[in-house]
Amino acid sequence: MFSKTILSSALLALPFSILALPAPASPALFRRDAGPVLEQDSVNASLPNVTIYATGGTIASKGETSGQTVGYSVGLGVKDLVDAVPEILNISNIYGLQVANVGSQEVDYNILLALAHNITKDLAKEETTGVVVTHGTDNLEETAFFLDLVINSTKPVVVVGSMRPATALSADGPLNLYQAVTLAASEKAKNRGAMIVLNDRIGAAFYATKNSANSLDTFYATEQGQLGFFINQVPYFYYTPAAVPGKPHFSVGANTSLPQVDIIYTHEDNNPALVKASIESGSKGIVFAGSGAGSVDDAMLAVAEKQFNSTHTPMVVSHRTVDGFVPVEDVQDYMIPSGFLNPQKARVLLQLAVNAGYSNEKVREVFDALHP
Ligand code: ASP
């Protein structure tokens, strides 16, 4: 069943070598330049070509019993994922690259850059129709948002996960993967930026967020809505492609690392010392997850202002509520409101802006442009 599937390793860039390799021990081992090897003579020329970039997560996890839906561990490789859905080989030639095999809480800039570098090269090839990234759902929205900002292609980039491990009754991974590949191979999916597929829904990576820690129907953007839906495994879009206003593009092609940017979650009885601690430990930018529309208490603001005046570290204020907007009127002059972006997405944007060497004024312009 797997004869049409070509696998290559991010470690060795050799076809089929991944079948024998254990999961890499450390992200530092990844070769960022090892793209998929396309072997056109062994594929069905009438089918589209989709590459699956596997990173781990629940979709690649096994439990002890079919009833177990928590406490499982990551252990399936990209070939296992495809083997579980042989039907996808009828709709696309599939190429596989094991970029990592971790819970998404372990995803770091090594993995993000490995994805960005390989996907950029892959999509530049005429024969590549689209790509799928399999990912743990916990931090999936951060990787999807990152890819949305750094991949410059009209071709589909689809990020997919599952809420139940592969061994569970009614595991959702196989159908989610089938739909993700369908979408990545679809003409209709072009020019829509990075997308998230779970539970029949197609969401915009820019806006969709994980809303429930446990239920299958977890990815959506309450205010901005979904892009589309699957019916009988056919993707339907509600609208023709639309653009996020002012969505920036960042190049990370030359990067081997990304700057540290921290989030400080505010609450009653805040600890103001966290601001200084963050900067002293190397942070080049701070996002405050403010309460309501970006409230931060006076004691923390006093430390933040002092730190800003001495270090000019850019400071963005977001909202710890799931939805909402931080307006400029609600933040100090030296701080930048995140607008609609939640703290985890604001952190990725600030990290990319700092990485690009932007001045604080230019960072402000980037955030402001998203809500003209
Ligand atoms: N802990 C898992 C992860 O994010 C959860 C999931 O994939 O649903 O890797």
Side-chain angles (χ1 to χ4, degrees):
M1 266 331 270
F2 208 69
S3 58
K4 282 188 277 179
T5 306
I6 294 104
L7 297 171
S8 68
S9 164
L11 291 170
L12 301 176
L14 293 173
F16 309 111
S17 59
I18 199 165
L19 304 177
L21 280 175
S26 155
L29 294 172
F30 300 149
R31 272 186 51 179
R32 290 176 299 103
D33 58 346
V37 178
L38 299 181
E39 297 187 347
Q40 291 302 312
D41 53 343
S42 57
V43 302
N44 181 340
S46 67
L47 290 180
N49 298 302
V50 171
T51 314
I52 299 176
Y53 292 85
T55 69
T58 296
I59 194 168
S61 294
K62 289 188 289 189
E64 298 296 320
T65 66
S66 60
Q68 187 183 350
T69 57
V70 295
Y72 42 79
S73 42
V74 178
L76 300 174
V78 63
K79 180 181 184 304
D80 302 312
L81 301 187
V82 177
D83 276 347
V85 209
E87 293 86 352
I88 63 174
L89 299 174
N90 299 328
I91 57 170
S92 177
N93 299 307
I94 300 291
Y95 305 84
L97 199 72
Q98 192 77 44
V99 178
N101 217 1
V102 295
S104 65
Q105 69 279 4
E106 305 298 337
V107 171
D108 60 8
Y109 63 68
N110 286 303
I111 295 173
L112 293 175
L113 292 173
L115 287 170
H117 294 165
N118 283 294
I119 291 172
T120 297
K121 277 191 208 157
D122 196 1
L123 292 180
K125 292 177 182 158
E126 203 186 328
E127 60 268 33
T128 305
T129 315
V131 303
V132 168
V133 177
T134 60
H135 202 286
T137 62
D138 290 350
N139 293 5
L140 185 150
E141 69 190 82
E142 291 169 58
T143 296
F145 184 76
F146 172 83
L147 294 176
D148 199 31
L149 298 184
V150 303
I151 302 294
N152 200 6
S153 173
T154 58
K155 295 178 183 178
V157 174
V158 183
V159 189
V160 64
S162 76
M163 292 299 285
R164 292 184 182 141
T167 42
L169 284 170
S170 298
D172 52 332
L175 187 58
N176 288 348
L177 183 62
Y178 183 89
Q179 294 181 341
V181 169
T182 302
L183 192 65
S186 167
E187 272 294 311
K188 289 193 281 184
K190 282 184 161 177
N191 280 307
R192 294 182 184 273
M195 288 165 282
I196 296 174
V197 165
L198 255 92
N199 204 40
D200 292 331
R201 299 178 194 280
I202 306 165
F206 198 88
Y207 289 122
T209 188
K210 186 174 185 182
N211 285 268
S212 165
N214 314 99
S215 76
L216 270 59
D217 198 18
T218 178
F219 279 95
Y220 51 90
T222 318
E223 300 293 337
Q224 296 86 0
Q226 300 285 6
L227 296 180
F229 200 85
F230 277 87
I231 297 167
N232 206 20
Q233 312 326 323
V234 176
Y236 291 93
F237 283 95
Y238 298 126
Y239 308 102
T240 53
V244 171
K247 188 170 91 177
H249 170 74
F250 296 95
S251 172
V252 291
N255 276 99
T256 53
S257 65
L258 290 172
Q260 178 188 333
V261 172
D262 294 341
I263 298 174
I264 296 179
Y265 195 97
T266 70
H267 50 85
E268 294 176 352
D269 279 332
N270 246 351
N271 177 3
L274 292 177
V275 182
K276 191 159 180 257
S278 166
I279 291 171
E280 284 180 352
S281 69
S283 183
K284 301 291 182 264
I286 296 178
V287 174
F288 293 89
S291 49
S295 305
V296 180
D297 67 282
D298 288 347
M300 184 168 267
L301 284 176
V303 177
E305 185 164 8
K306 204 167 159 206
Q307 287 299 312
F308 178 82
N309 288 336
S310 57
T311 66
H312 303 291
T313 304
M315 297 182 182
V316 170
V317 184
S318 180
H319 46 83
R320 63 178 207 185
T321 53
V322 174
D323 284 310
F325 181 88
V326 176
V328 70
E329 292 81 358
D330 276 4
V331 306
Q332 309 297 304
D333 286 350
Y334 63 91
M335 290 178 155
I336 300 167
S338 77
F340 293 109
L341 294 181
N342 67 21
Q344 55 271 33
K345 288 178 193 267
R347 194 197 74 83
V348 173
L349 180 56
L350 180 56
Q351 183 181 45
L352 286 168
V354 168
N355 181 60
Y358 289 0
S359 66
N360 283 354
E361 271 324 294
K362 177 92 173 143
V363 176
R364 183 183 295 278
E365 283 170 24
V366 168
F367 275 86
D368 285 353
L370 299 174
H371 44 86

